[in-house]
Short mmCIF file of all heavy atoms in Angstrom, two decimals:
data_model
loop_
_atom_site.label_atom_id
_atom_site.label_comp_id
_atom_site.label_asym_id
_atom_site.label_seq_id
_atom_site.Cartn_x
_atom_site.Cartn_y
_atom_site.Cartn_z
N HIS A 198 7.06 -2.57 -17.96
CA HIS A 198 7.99 -3.01 -19.03
C HIS A 198 7.97 -4.50 -19.19
O HIS A 198 8.43 -5.06 -20.22
CB HIS A 198 9.34 -2.49 -18.76
CG HIS A 198 9.97 -3.05 -17.45
ND1 HIS A 198 9.41 -2.82 -16.21
CD2 HIS A 198 10.97 -3.95 -17.23
CE1 HIS A 198 10.14 -3.37 -15.29
NE2 HIS A 198 11.09 -4.14 -15.87
N LEU A 199 7.38 -5.23 -18.25
CA LEU A 199 7.32 -6.71 -18.37
C LEU A 199 6.02 -7.21 -18.89
O LEU A 199 5.83 -8.42 -19.05
CB LEU A 199 7.53 -7.34 -16.93
CG LEU A 199 8.80 -6.94 -16.20
CD1 LEU A 199 8.87 -7.42 -14.79
CD2 LEU A 199 10.03 -7.45 -16.99
N GLU A 200 5.05 -6.26 -19.24
CA GLU A 200 3.71 -6.67 -19.56
C GLU A 200 3.67 -7.52 -20.79
O GLU A 200 2.88 -8.52 -20.83
CB GLU A 200 2.91 -5.40 -19.77
CG GLU A 200 1.40 -5.67 -19.91
CD GLU A 200 0.55 -4.44 -19.77
OE1 GLU A 200 0.58 -3.75 -18.74
OE2 GLU A 200 -0.16 -4.19 -20.80
N GLU A 201 4.38 -7.21 -21.84
CA GLU A 201 4.35 -8.05 -23.05
C GLU A 201 4.69 -9.49 -22.83
O GLU A 201 4.02 -10.38 -23.35
CB GLU A 201 5.29 -7.42 -24.13
CG GLU A 201 4.73 -6.18 -24.74
CD GLU A 201 5.61 -5.70 -25.90
OE1 GLU A 201 6.37 -6.55 -26.41
OE2 GLU A 201 5.46 -4.51 -26.31
N ASP A 202 5.74 -9.67 -22.01
CA ASP A 202 6.08 -11.10 -21.73
C ASP A 202 5.06 -11.81 -20.86
O ASP A 202 4.76 -12.98 -21.08
CB ASP A 202 7.39 -11.11 -20.93
CG ASP A 202 8.65 -10.62 -21.80
OD1 ASP A 202 8.48 -10.80 -23.02
OD2 ASP A 202 9.66 -10.21 -21.20
N SER A 203 4.43 -11.09 -19.93
CA SER A 203 3.42 -11.73 -19.10
C SER A 203 2.17 -11.97 -19.87
O SER A 203 1.48 -12.98 -19.66
CB SER A 203 3.06 -10.80 -17.96
OG SER A 203 2.39 -9.60 -18.36
N ILE A 204 1.83 -11.16 -20.89
CA ILE A 204 0.67 -11.42 -21.73
C ILE A 204 0.87 -12.79 -22.52
O ILE A 204 -0.09 -13.54 -22.69
CB ILE A 204 0.44 -10.28 -22.69
CG1 ILE A 204 -0.20 -9.08 -21.93
CG2 ILE A 204 -0.53 -10.66 -23.85
CD1 ILE A 204 -0.31 -7.81 -22.73
N ALA A 205 2.11 -12.96 -22.94
CA ALA A 205 2.32 -14.22 -23.76
C ALA A 205 2.18 -15.47 -22.87
O ALA A 205 1.91 -16.51 -23.42
CB ALA A 205 3.85 -14.09 -24.22
N GLN A 206 2.30 -15.28 -21.57
CA GLN A 206 2.24 -16.49 -20.68
C GLN A 206 0.79 -16.68 -20.11
O GLN A 206 0.45 -17.62 -19.48
CB GLN A 206 3.20 -16.34 -19.57
CG GLN A 206 4.65 -16.28 -20.01
CD GLN A 206 5.62 -15.95 -18.85
OE1 GLN A 206 5.29 -15.95 -17.72
NE2 GLN A 206 6.83 -15.64 -19.22
N ARG A 207 -0.04 -15.64 -20.26
CA ARG A 207 -1.43 -15.62 -19.67
C ARG A 207 -2.45 -16.19 -20.66
O ARG A 207 -2.20 -16.10 -21.96
CB ARG A 207 -1.87 -14.26 -19.22
CG ARG A 207 -1.19 -13.76 -18.00
CD ARG A 207 -1.98 -12.50 -17.52
NE ARG A 207 -1.49 -12.09 -16.16
CZ ARG A 207 -0.66 -11.06 -15.97
NH1 ARG A 207 -0.26 -10.39 -17.05
NH2 ARG A 207 -0.31 -10.78 -14.76
N SER A 208 -3.55 -16.69 -20.16
CA SER A 208 -4.68 -17.16 -21.06
C SER A 208 -5.30 -15.86 -21.61
O SER A 208 -5.13 -14.75 -21.03
CB SER A 208 -5.67 -17.91 -20.31
OG SER A 208 -6.35 -17.10 -19.31
N PHE A 209 -6.06 -15.96 -22.72
CA PHE A 209 -6.78 -14.80 -23.30
C PHE A 209 -7.71 -14.22 -22.27
O PHE A 209 -7.82 -12.94 -22.18
CB PHE A 209 -7.49 -15.29 -24.55
CG PHE A 209 -8.36 -14.18 -25.17
CD1 PHE A 209 -7.75 -13.17 -25.91
CD2 PHE A 209 -9.73 -14.16 -24.96
CE1 PHE A 209 -8.51 -12.15 -26.44
CE2 PHE A 209 -10.53 -13.13 -25.54
CZ PHE A 209 -9.91 -12.18 -26.28
N PHE A 210 -8.45 -15.02 -21.53
CA PHE A 210 -9.39 -14.48 -20.54
C PHE A 210 -8.73 -13.67 -19.50
O PHE A 210 -9.19 -12.57 -19.12
CB PHE A 210 -10.12 -15.70 -19.92
CG PHE A 210 -11.19 -15.29 -18.91
CD1 PHE A 210 -12.26 -14.49 -19.22
CD2 PHE A 210 -11.04 -15.73 -17.60
CE1 PHE A 210 -13.23 -14.09 -18.30
CE2 PHE A 210 -11.97 -15.37 -16.61
CZ PHE A 210 -13.05 -14.52 -16.95
N ARG A 211 -7.61 -14.16 -18.92
CA ARG A 211 -6.92 -13.43 -17.89
C ARG A 211 -6.27 -12.11 -18.44
O ARG A 211 -6.23 -11.11 -17.78
CB ARG A 211 -5.81 -14.29 -17.30
CG ARG A 211 -6.30 -15.39 -16.37
CD ARG A 211 -5.17 -16.23 -15.73
NE ARG A 211 -4.32 -15.43 -14.87
CZ ARG A 211 -3.22 -15.84 -14.26
NH1 ARG A 211 -2.92 -17.11 -14.44
NH2 ARG A 211 -2.59 -15.09 -13.48
N THR A 212 -5.87 -12.12 -19.73
CA THR A 212 -5.35 -10.94 -20.39
C THR A 212 -6.42 -9.92 -20.50
O THR A 212 -6.15 -8.71 -20.25
CB THR A 212 -4.75 -11.30 -21.70
OG1 THR A 212 -3.63 -12.21 -21.59
CG2 THR A 212 -4.22 -10.03 -22.41
N VAL A 213 -7.60 -10.35 -20.92
CA VAL A 213 -8.73 -9.35 -21.03
C VAL A 213 -9.09 -8.80 -19.69
O VAL A 213 -9.31 -7.54 -19.58
CB VAL A 213 -9.97 -10.11 -21.61
CG1 VAL A 213 -11.25 -9.25 -21.46
CG2 VAL A 213 -9.76 -10.46 -23.12
N LEU A 214 -9.11 -9.59 -18.61
CA LEU A 214 -9.37 -9.09 -17.25
C LEU A 214 -8.30 -8.04 -16.82
O LEU A 214 -8.65 -7.04 -16.27
CB LEU A 214 -9.40 -10.21 -16.28
CG LEU A 214 -10.78 -11.00 -16.20
CD1 LEU A 214 -10.61 -12.21 -15.21
CD2 LEU A 214 -11.90 -10.14 -15.81
N MET A 215 -7.02 -8.41 -17.10
CA MET A 215 -5.97 -7.48 -16.72
C MET A 215 -6.06 -6.12 -17.41
O MET A 215 -6.01 -5.10 -16.82
CB MET A 215 -4.61 -8.11 -17.06
CG MET A 215 -3.42 -7.23 -16.67
SD MET A 215 -1.82 -7.89 -17.30
CE MET A 215 -2.06 -7.55 -19.04
N LYS A 216 -6.38 -6.21 -18.76
CA LYS A 216 -6.46 -5.00 -19.56
C LYS A 216 -7.66 -4.17 -19.07
O LYS A 216 -7.65 -2.99 -19.06
CB LYS A 216 -6.65 -5.33 -21.04
CG LYS A 216 -5.33 -5.87 -21.71
CD LYS A 216 -4.28 -4.74 -21.83
CE LYS A 216 -3.11 -5.29 -22.67
NZ LYS A 216 -2.08 -4.22 -22.85
N GLY A 217 -8.75 -4.95 -18.77
CA GLY A 217 -10.03 -4.27 -18.31
C GLY A 217 -9.76 -3.57 -16.97
O GLY A 217 -10.27 -2.50 -16.74
N PHE A 218 -9.03 -4.25 -16.14
CA PHE A 218 -8.71 -3.58 -14.80
C PHE A 218 -7.88 -2.34 -15.03
O PHE A 218 -8.18 -1.36 -14.40
CB PHE A 218 -7.91 -4.64 -13.92
CG PHE A 218 -7.44 -4.03 -12.64
CD1 PHE A 218 -8.33 -3.90 -11.58
CD2 PHE A 218 -6.12 -3.66 -12.47
CE1 PHE A 218 -7.91 -3.32 -10.42
CE2 PHE A 218 -5.66 -3.08 -11.27
CZ PHE A 218 -6.56 -2.95 -10.17
N HIS A 219 -6.87 -2.41 -15.84
CA HIS A 219 -6.11 -1.20 -16.10
C HIS A 219 -6.91 -0.06 -16.70
O HIS A 219 -6.66 1.03 -16.33
CB HIS A 219 -4.91 -1.58 -17.12
CG HIS A 219 -3.91 -2.42 -16.52
ND1 HIS A 219 -2.88 -3.00 -17.23
CD2 HIS A 219 -3.62 -2.81 -15.20
CE1 HIS A 219 -2.10 -3.71 -16.46
NE2 HIS A 219 -2.53 -3.59 -15.18
N PHE A 220 -7.86 -0.43 -17.50
CA PHE A 220 -8.73 0.62 -18.13
C PHE A 220 -9.61 1.24 -17.07
O PHE A 220 -9.73 2.49 -17.03
CB PHE A 220 -9.60 0.03 -19.22
CG PHE A 220 -10.61 1.03 -19.76
CD1 PHE A 220 -10.28 2.01 -20.66
CD2 PHE A 220 -11.93 0.94 -19.38
CE1 PHE A 220 -11.19 2.96 -21.06
CE2 PHE A 220 -12.90 1.84 -19.78
CZ PHE A 220 -12.50 2.87 -20.62
N VAL A 221 -10.19 0.46 -16.18
CA VAL A 221 -10.98 0.96 -15.13
C VAL A 221 -10.27 1.85 -14.16
O VAL A 221 -10.70 2.92 -13.78
CB VAL A 221 -11.69 -0.20 -14.35
CG1 VAL A 221 -12.47 0.32 -13.14
CG2 VAL A 221 -12.63 -0.97 -15.25
N VAL A 222 -9.01 1.45 -13.86
CA VAL A 222 -8.12 2.27 -13.01
C VAL A 222 -7.93 3.66 -13.70
O VAL A 222 -8.07 4.69 -13.10
CB VAL A 222 -6.76 1.64 -12.78
CG1 VAL A 222 -5.78 2.60 -12.11
CG2 VAL A 222 -6.88 0.42 -11.91
N TRP A 223 -7.51 3.59 -15.04
CA TRP A 223 -7.28 4.86 -15.69
C TRP A 223 -8.58 5.75 -15.85
O TRP A 223 -8.52 6.93 -15.72
CB TRP A 223 -6.83 4.51 -17.17
CG TRP A 223 -6.63 5.68 -18.06
CD1 TRP A 223 -5.57 6.53 -18.14
CD2 TRP A 223 -7.60 6.23 -18.95
NE1 TRP A 223 -5.78 7.50 -19.03
CE2 TRP A 223 -6.99 7.37 -19.58
CE3 TRP A 223 -8.91 5.80 -19.30
CZ2 TRP A 223 -7.73 8.12 -20.53
CZ3 TRP A 223 -9.58 6.64 -20.28
CH2 TRP A 223 -8.97 7.72 -20.85
N PHE A 224 -9.67 5.05 -16.18
CA PHE A 224 -10.95 5.80 -16.38
C PHE A 224 -11.51 6.40 -15.17
O PHE A 224 -12.03 7.62 -15.12
CB PHE A 224 -11.96 4.89 -16.98
CG PHE A 224 -13.25 5.57 -17.41
CD1 PHE A 224 -13.31 6.44 -18.55
CD2 PHE A 224 -14.41 5.30 -16.77
CE1 PHE A 224 -14.45 7.08 -18.89
CE2 PHE A 224 -15.57 5.98 -17.08
CZ PHE A 224 -15.62 6.81 -18.18
#
Side-chain angles (χ1 to χ4, degrees):
H198 61 295
L199 304 172
E200 191 168 297
E201 286 187 16
D202 291 337
S203 66
I204 286 174
Q206 298 170 13
R207 284 192 174 102
S208 68
F209 175 75
F210 179 61
R211 288 181 64 183
T212 298
V213 169
L214 279 177
M215 181 191 71
K216 290 288 187 180
F218 175 77
H219 289 169
F220 173 76
V221 173
V222 170
W223 174 86
F224 184 71

